[in-house]
Amino acid sequence: MRTFTPVTVYGLRFTTPLAAFFVLFFLAPLLLLLFISLHNDTALTEFGFSQYTKFFTEGFALPILADTLWLGVQVTLLSLVLGYALAWAFVRSRPSVQTVLIMIIVMPLLTSVVVRTFAWIVILGRQGILNTVLMNWEWIETPARLLYTRSGLVVALANVQLPLMVLPLITALQRIEPNLEDASSILGASAWRTFFKVTLPLTLPGVVAGCLLTFAASITAFISQSLIGGGQMLFMPMYIYQQASTLQNWPYAAAISLVFLVAVMGCVSVFNILGRLSKGYATT
Amino acid sequence: MIIGHRHSLSDLSLRITLWGLAALSIILLLAPTLVVLIVSFTSGFSLKFPPPGYSLRWYEALIDAWQLHFAAWNSIKVAALTTLLSVVLGVSASLGIARSEKAMARVLDSFFMSPLILPALAFGLASLIFFSELGIPVSVTTLVIGHTVVCIPYVMRTTIAALAQLPATLLESSASLGADRWYSFRRVTLPLIAPGVGAGAFIAFMSSFDNVPVSLFLRDARTDMLPIRMWQDLEGKLDVTIAALSGVMIFATLILMVVMEKLTGITKRMR
């Protein structure tokens, strides 16, 4: 007997080409990465966990991982503060202003990340715009070192990733019933109290979605990390690249890639759990 | 609605704080682009801001920068092929997944979306090891395959969203009027989801053109890619030619974005 499929459904067989493509060129390479990482020597003759033992016990690599994740947290928090205010202002603007604002927000997403990072080199450099302004106002006498510093990197990365934060927040803020905020203020809550007790909790799913995208993007931002952080700071992406390309140590590079991947997936799961909890919170 | 206590001190301070931060964000979003554009017209030899004078000399220098031309051409070639492959595979898979209520559809959806969250650098390294173990040298083909994996999610996200908005009644009436599935697809579904597919294709193209983590491992001297070339130039010295190139890329992006906004309403589809 032939099973009847409704005309509005195309059927899962249409996913076969892509599924095959992904199994061959996405899943298989990742499994091979796992296989390679389970070798003790670069000639791939001896099986063992020594690459992982090296990562966790040598005391050099673990701080790099922790620092990379911490960088992600710093960048995410800064873009959340800036991005929330921008999204808040966006939904309160006239439609004509919104059209301009959305172009300003989306444009950086489509602009090359090297170009955006390069812009921050020009801004933060010794002869850059910030140093020129600060020296003209006589706040400082000699150019301050802004490039190749942690704070410079956090500000630049937060800016590069800001659109990823703002877009989900705009969607979340647009869904809020405006009467709820009015009700809160009529009932005597101060504006700050209304913001923290009504507006912010209702947009938590958007906050979680924005944070997830910003976090994932900023910890893997190879170009920005290497150009603005400079040679002094080492983060996981550059560490993996050095081990794989410069040192040709594939088993170790594979192992640290997988540790990084698992760490990122762990953070993503935490965000997803928070997201699910916040959805419950936002609807009750 | 204007009620007395809404203009209290608390209300005012909240407004000033949020509008102030929003203004700061807008400056932060605009400043980099403007600064690059201004510096690219400098007449000097450094990235000094403000520039000592203005000229087109660095744009002229760009004309002879054959290494950048070579890398740019490679990047455009890879991005175009990646977009083509992503659209063919992605639209087909989106048709299968959208509107399906099977649990398997949700699993496949997460599978196809996972390159978005996974650290792409780990995938880049995995691909390099995979191809080299198979004895396949890196080439434009391997770059296109690697880029397609990371660009598929962009095409699928906008296509599935467009399919979800397609009224089921249209397909039902097309079928009841005697059209077969292929005819309905060509005459009803495709024209209606075209803007969504177009937006996804555009985002995939831009993101392939801009890709670093996969190209880093899958390119070699013969297949130099523009973002990597620019990164390596900037690592060596802060070159003003890169400012002029950035200027060209900013203008190109701006024009393409305005065109795509007219054709597909891209800004709405990126949310």
Side-chain angles (χ1 to χ4, degrees):
Chain A
M1 195 183 89
R2 222 174 130 251
T3 47
F4 173 78
T5 42
V7 286
T8 54
V9 177
Y10 281 90
L12 282 177
R13 71 203 149 89
F14 280 86
T15 61
T16 317
L18 184 59
F21 185 84
F22 259 53
V23 167
L24 186 58
F25 295 117
F26 180 59
L27 201 58
L30 288 176
L31 291 175
L32 184 65
L33 194 70
L34 177 65
F35 177 75
I36 298 277
S37 76
L38 294 171
H39 285 85
N40 290 346
D41 55 340
T42 46
L44 307 177
T45 50
E46 191 190 333
F47 258 104
F49 291 96
S50 72
Q51 308 298 345
Y52 293 95
T53 347
K54 185 178 161 194
F55 182 89
F56 286 105
T57 53
E58 254 185 7
F60 176 71
L62 209 51
I64 298 178
L65 176 64
D67 196 36
T68 308
L69 298 179
W70 174 231
L71 177 75
V73 172
Q74 288 177 307
V75 171
T76 306
L77 288 178
L78 182 59
S79 3
L80 179 60
V81 173
L82 292 170
Y84 203 98
L86 180 54
W88 184 90
F90 178 87
V91 294
R92 278 160 184 76
S93 301
R94 274 178 286 124
S96 55
V97 179
Q98 284 189 350
T99 317
V100 178
L101 276 181
I102 199 76
M103 292 293 248
I104 295 175
I105 295 167
V106 169
M107 169 87 185
L109 265 187
L110 296 169
T111 311
S112 164
V113 77
V114 190
V115 173
R116 283 186 281 160
T117 303
F118 173 68
W120 280 93
I121 298 176
V122 180
I123 293 172
L124 298 173
R126 274 184 71 84
Q127 295 185 307
I129 182 166
L130 260 180
N131 268 323
T132 311
V133 169
L134 291 176
M135 281 182 13
N136 279 352
W137 290 350
E138 296 180 343
W139 283 4
I140 52 170
E141 278 168 14
T142 50
R145 212 176 75 120
L146 304 164
L147 204 59
Y148 312 135
T149 62
R150 178 78 171 206
S151 18
L153 178 60
V154 171
V155 172
L157 265 179
N159 172 250
V160 171
Q161 317 297 358
L162 194 57
L164 293 176
M165 179 66 90
V166 178
L167 293 175
L169 286 176
I170 288 177
T171 312
L173 276 162
Q174 280 173 334
R175 286 205 189 118
I176 295 187
E177 174 70 47
N179 290 338
L180 287 174
E181 287 170 352
D182 287 341
S184 167
S185 75
I186 289 167
L187 290 170
S190 73
W192 283 97
R193 199 175 151 79
T194 302
F195 179 76
F196 281 111
K197 292 283 174 182
V198 179
T199 316
L200 196 58
L202 284 173
T203 52
L204 271 183
V207 170
V208 171
C211 286
L212 174 63
L213 292 172
T214 313
F215 181 81
S218 56
I219 55 174
T220 53
F222 180 84
I223 293 282
S224 312
Q225 288 171 3
S226 94
L227 287 179
I228 296 178
Q232 306 292 316
M233 275 171 264
L234 186 58
F235 298 102
M236 282 306 280
M238 183 49 114
Y239 189 44
I240 295 171
Y241 178 67
Q242 282 177 352
Q243 293 296 324
S245 279
T246 322
L247 301 173
Q248 293 282 324
N249 188 349
W250 282 6
Y252 187 59
I256 57 178
S257 306
L258 285 167
V259 172
F260 186 45
L261 198 147
V262 170
V264 172
M265 293 322 262
C267 295
V268 168
S269 322
V270 172
F271 277 113
N272 279 337
I273 293 167
L274 286 176
R276 230 167 288 143
L277 290 177
S278 70
K279 262 180 204 142
Y281 191 45
T283 46
T284 46
Chain B
M1 172 170 14
I2 294 171
I3 294 172
H5 62 248
R6 287 193 70 182
H7 292 280
S8 64
L9 202 62
S10 162
D11 190 48
L12 202 63
S13 65
L14 178 78
R15 270 156 198 277
I16 290 173
T17 311
L18 287 176
W19 281 109
L21 282 171
L24 182 65
S25 307
I26 293 170
I27 293 171
L28 282 174
L29 284 174
L30 278 178
T33 311
L34 294 178
V35 166
V36 167
L37 285 180
I38 293 169
V39 164
S40 71
F41 290 107
T42 188
S43 60
F45 282 94
S46 71
L47 300 172
K48 190 172 162 35
F49 197 95
Y54 295 94
S55 78
L56 284 171
R57 64 184 295 180
W58 296 106
Y59 284 89
E60 282 160 23
L62 214 51
I63 298 171
D64 297 323
W66 64 269
Q67 278 190 316
L68 291 175
H69 291 195
F70 177 66
W73 174 237
N74 276 332
S75 282
I76 291 174
K77 211 159 54 182
V78 169
L81 291 170
T82 299
T83 308
L84 194 68
L85 190 56
S86 303
V87 166
V88 171
L89 292 173
V91 171
S92 163
S94 302
L95 287 173
I97 285 176
R99 298 170 179 274
S100 172
E101 273 157 23
K102 297 196 180 102
M104 192 58 196
R106 300 282 78 76
V107 175
L108 283 170
D109 190 36
S110 316
F111 182 42
F112 298 146
M113 288 295 162
S114 57
L116 216 51
I117 299 295
L118 275 175
L121 206 82
F123 167 67
L125 174 63
S127 289
L128 171 69
I129 296 178
F130 178 72
F131 288 122
S132 85
E133 291 291 311
L134 287 178
I136 302 170
V138 293
S139 64
V140 168
T141 315
T142 57
L143 275 165
V144 169
I145 289 172
H147 280 201
T148 302
V149 169
V150 292
C151 289
I152 278 285
Y154 300 113
V155 175
M156 290 195 64
R157 204 166 49 180
T158 55
T159 308
I160 290 180
L163 278 166
Q165 284 166 4
L166 193 71
T169 46
L170 283 180
L171 295 173
E172 283 159 5
S173 35
S174 173
S176 68
L177 291 170
D180 62 26
R181 275 169 177 273
W182 174 236
Y183 191 84
S184 292
F185 173 73
R186 272 190 303 131
R187 300 303 293 268
V188 182
T189 309
L190 202 55
L192 288 172
I193 63 167
V197 177
F202 176 59
I203 300 167
F205 182 89
M206 298 308 271
S207 111
S208 163
F209 188 75
D210 190 30
N211 183 288
V212 172
V214 176
S215 301
L216 205 52
F217 292 104
L218 292 184
R219 54 117 227 169
D220 60 9
R222 285 174 304 111
T223 53
D224 205 4
M225 303 296 276
L226 192 60
I228 313 281
R229 178 82 263 142
M230 290 171 79
W231 167 62
Q232 284 174 342
D233 283 0
L234 288 173
E235 284 267 88
K237 58 181 168 55
L238 295 181
D239 195 342
V240 191
T241 323
I242 299 295
L245 176 58
S246 299
V248 172
M249 287 166 75
I250 288 168
F251 283 122
T253 309
L254 195 62
I255 292 166
L256 284 175
M257 197 174 105
V258 171
V259 170
M260 289 310 285
E261 178 70 13
K262 286 267 179 291
L263 289 178
T264 69
I266 187 121
T267 51
K268 284 201 180 63
R269 294 178 193 274
M270 286 184 78
R271 287 188 217 165

